[in-house]
Amino acid sequence: MNFYDYLSFVYGALSTVGVSFVAIIVGIPLGLGLALLRWARIPVFGKCAYLYVSIVRSCPAVTLIMLIYFGLPQFGISLNPFVAALISFSITATAFNCEIWRSSLLAFDRSQYEAAQAFGMTRWVRFRHVLLPQIWRSSIPGLINEMTLLVKNSPAISVIGLLDITRAAQRIGARTYEPIPPLLLGFAIYIIIVMLLIELQKRLETRIRSAGI
Amino acid sequence: MNAIANPKPATTDTVLRVQGISKSFGDNHVLKDISFDMQKGEVVSLLGPSGCGKSTLLRCINWLEEPDAGHIRLNSERMGYAGSGAKMNDTQLSQMRSRIGMVFQHFALWPHMTVLENVMASPVHVQKRDRKEVENEARAVLKRVGLEDKMDMLPSRLSGGQKQRVGIARALAMKPEILLFDEPTSALDPMLVGEVLEVMRDLAADGATMVIVTHEMKFARQVSSRIIFMDSGHIIENRSPEDFFDHPQTDKAKTFLHSVQYK
């Protein structure tokens, strides 16, 4: 492998991490929003959230990204591939994160939420000081797990011509007739990214324990 | 029935005025035209068979349930409706509620906060008082309920009786104008009931205005200035504890006292 091969790995890693990172940043709060709509049993919106999650969950990453990249131009919206990838991964992350938040909400004891109401806490204070700290704590393992899945689904972006880690490995292997070394290098990069996420999980969990929030 | 509905006009000492409260859940009429007053320093025990509407009445007082009809006035301010007659918004309602302390049957402590944080939460986040000052007061209140050595623990490490004493301390920390107790000892082991009743007795002696839903008849008799007996959504007796326990007037009350084996 030459210098340009390594460079394409760096490029691939950046787009993998970039797409995953944006999807995480978008997906966590939007997923929480959808989960809250269902939790609060808001009639029409709760049903919409349910439909959204059901439809998105049944669409494979590759299919969704192609639908967005090739489908939206039919409606006059043309996208560059990277933006299409960001949108597609954010849509998926939102749906899956919604279910993770929702499982924490289902386990949350509503009586102490009502106590917060009786003690004069406004909706926002109840959310911020009673609900969120508790569901955040119980959602962290699921959310981090979903992040690792996002990273590992990222090869899907290569179907619309973007370079990710696996695609970089594949291209190098095809040129050098030695597919294994670049694939192992790609694998090593995935390991590093996932290890970093696991480290993040550990830190978040110990921070919560010591802060007692 | 009318004889016991607000017999006198409200005075400046009237902390709570409940007028004609009705509440239904579907076809189930839980409260039917409930009226009573409470003066400052009064301790009223709400008694009655289960399902008679006692807990719903408490929950209507602080608007956790919105009554279908009737008025609740806290120190002559109407609960749930702003001066203009419009329904209160979230902030206004929260301000009203913060003037009423509530103690729950199943404690409903916030499990992610330490004992001290539980007690400090509402004064800091709702009443927006100075954190340092609140902390000093919270420590004093916790000392009063005998939990000075548990302040930094999470509620899950406490016994039921200790949890409920935190629940009481949490309510006291807001300096409420009235305290509502919703079966505060019903979820406790019999041997832990005493420590909670002790704290409540102390509060009553100290002049707190309290409404207590309870099944502890002896306690109700000793500590109450008045007993309100409810049956099927009506108040059917509203009298002094001696009168009520020694000379119940209605058959319903007689049956009730007999069934709880009060002698």
Side-chain angles (χ1 to χ4, degrees):
Chain A
M1 286 191 283
N2 59 33
F3 172 74
Y4 292 102
D5 292 340
Y6 289 111
L7 200 64
S8 70
F9 264 116
V10 170
Y11 186 83
L14 282 179
S15 46
T16 291
V17 169
V19 167
S20 311
F21 183 75
V22 169
I24 289 164
I25 296 297
V26 173
I28 287 180
L30 286 187
L32 175 60
L34 289 188
L36 286 172
L37 285 181
R38 291 195 62 186
W39 184 70
R41 302 187 184 122
I42 300 171
V44 181
F45 292 96
K47 195 80 193 160
C48 289
Y50 169 74
L51 271 176
Y52 174 85
V53 171
S54 310
I55 292 170
V56 172
R57 274 207 294 186
S58 42
C59 189
V62 178
T63 318
L64 183 64
I65 199 168
M66 288 200 290
L67 271 174
I68 290 187
Y69 185 60
F70 299 116
L72 285 187
Q74 311 272 330
F75 301 97
I77 309 166
S78 65
L79 298 169
N80 91 33
F82 196 70
V83 174
L86 292 182
I87 293 175
S88 149
F89 272 68
S90 299
I91 286 174
T92 315
T94 300
F96 281 93
N97 285 338
C98 168
E99 288 304 290
I100 294 164
W101 286 117
R102 206 168 69 85
S103 67
S104 297
L105 285 167
L106 288 175
F108 177 80
D109 168 24
R110 274 179 198 252
S111 73
Q112 34 139 339
Y113 190 71
E114 194 178 75
Q117 199 176 354
F119 276 77
M121 295 189 187
T122 55
R123 225 171 264 123
W124 167 248
V125 174
R126 286 194 312 262
F127 171 74
R128 170 68 188 79
H129 293 286
V130 174
L131 187 62
L132 187 60
Q134 295 186 56
I135 60 169
W136 171 236
R137 184 207 301 246
S138 50
S139 294
I140 285 176
L143 291 173
I144 299 277
N145 191 45
E146 167 58 20
M147 291 177 201
T148 66
L149 292 179
L150 273 176
V151 169
K152 287 177 291 176
N153 275 335
S154 62
I157 66 177
S158 66
V159 298
I160 55 169
L162 288 170
L163 186 71
D164 74 300
I165 296 170
T166 301
R167 177 87 180 128
Q170 203 187 0
R171 281 213 314 213
I172 296 160
R175 184 172 52 75
T176 60
Y177 295 106
E178 279 187 296
I180 300 302
L183 280 175
L184 284 177
L185 179 58
F187 184 23
I189 299 175
Y190 285 119
I191 291 178
I192 292 168
I193 297 172
V194 171
M195 287 296 180
L196 287 175
L197 285 172
I198 291 169
E199 183 58 31
L200 173 70
Q201 174 175 358
K202 269 194 221 150
R203 289 193 180 195
L204 287 174
E205 283 176 355
T206 42
R207 206 186 72 167
I208 285 171
R209 262 196 300 277
S210 61
I213 50 167
Chain B
M1 202 98 2
N2 286 334
I4 53 176
N6 306 121
K8 281 172 272 186
T11 67
T12 48
D13 274 349
T14 306
V15 174
L16 180 72
R17 169 152 268 218
V18 174
Q19 278 177 304
I21 290 295
S22 297
K23 177 73 186 172
S24 307
F25 297 105
D27 288 339
N28 184 12
H29 299 282
V30 185
L31 298 176
K32 300 163 190 160
D33 194 22
I34 298 282
S35 300
F36 67 95
D37 281 350
M38 281 186 68
Q39 310 301 315
K40 198 170 185 334
E42 257 196 312
V43 176
V44 166
S45 289
L46 280 179
L47 307 181
S50 49
C52 70
K54 307 173 300 247
S55 291
T56 308
L57 176 55
L58 277 198
R59 295 163 56 81
C60 280
I61 292 175
N62 64 5
W63 227 249
L64 284 181
E65 301 286 356
E66 193 178 325
D68 300 332
H71 295 204
I72 306 275
R73 282 175 201 281
L74 179 66
N75 280 315
S76 76
E77 270 174 78
R78 191 164 169 206
M79 190 78 192
Y81 293 87
S84 57
K87 278 193 182 178
M88 283 183 168
N89 62 29
D90 192 34
T91 314
Q92 293 168 319
L93 207 47
S94 295
Q95 282 309 315
M96 282 298 278
R97 284 184 180 133
S98 72
R99 297 163 53 188
I100 303 173
M102 192 164 191
V103 176
F104 297 84
Q105 181 178 0
H106 296 287
F107 327 122
L109 300 177
W110 300 304
H112 59 303
M113 299 182 191
T114 63
V115 166
L116 185 64
E117 286 165 345
N118 262 279
V119 176
M120 289 174 63
S122 275
V124 169
H125 297 308
V126 177
Q127 297 174 332
K128 312 271 182 217
R129 292 168 45 206
D130 176 66
R131 184 174 269 276
K132 199 72 220 146
E133 181 194 313
V134 168
E135 187 177 329
N136 290 335
E137 283 180 19
R139 287 179 187 279
V141 170
L142 282 165
K143 201 167 172 189
R144 180 171 178 190
V145 299
L147 291 173
E148 59 267 50
D149 52 339
K150 310 282 185 207
M151 297 202 203
D152 299 317
M153 287 188 181
L154 289 175
S156 55
R157 306 258 321 265
L158 304 180
S159 74
Q162 290 167 338
K163 282 182 192 168
Q164 197 56 296
R165 284 186 281 151
V166 175
I168 295 172
R170 177 174 70 165
L172 288 177
M174 300 164 66
K175 301 181 180 166
E177 292 157 40
I178 186 166
L179 282 161
L180 311 177
F181 293 83
D182 189 5
E183 303 199 25
T185 59
S186 300
L188 298 179
D189 288 343
M191 56 186 298
L192 301 177
V193 169
E195 61 188 74
V196 171
L197 295 185
E198 183 102 8
V199 169
M200 291 170 64
R201 209 169 263 138
D202 177 51
L203 289 176
D206 217 34
T209 312
M210 299 156 69
V211 188
I212 308 170
V213 172
T214 183
H215 295 292
E216 298 288 333
M217 294 303 141
K218 251 171 78 182
F219 170 75
R221 176 169 188 155
Q222 288 163 2
V223 85
S224 309
S225 37
R226 211 144 41 90
I227 302 290
I228 290 182
F229 179 75
M230 291 177 65
D231 186 79
S232 331
H234 293 290
I235 292 181
I236 60 174
E237 302 215 14
N238 181 355
R239 307 159 59 210
S240 76
E242 291 72 24
D243 278 357
F244 176 77
F245 285 108
D246 295 340
H247 312 289
Q249 288 189 327
T250 55
D251 289 342
K252 291 266 170 63
K254 282 176 196 161
T255 315
F256 173 77
L257 285 173
H258 185 73
S259 73
V260 297
Q261 294 178 320
Y262 180 84
K263 289 170 188 98

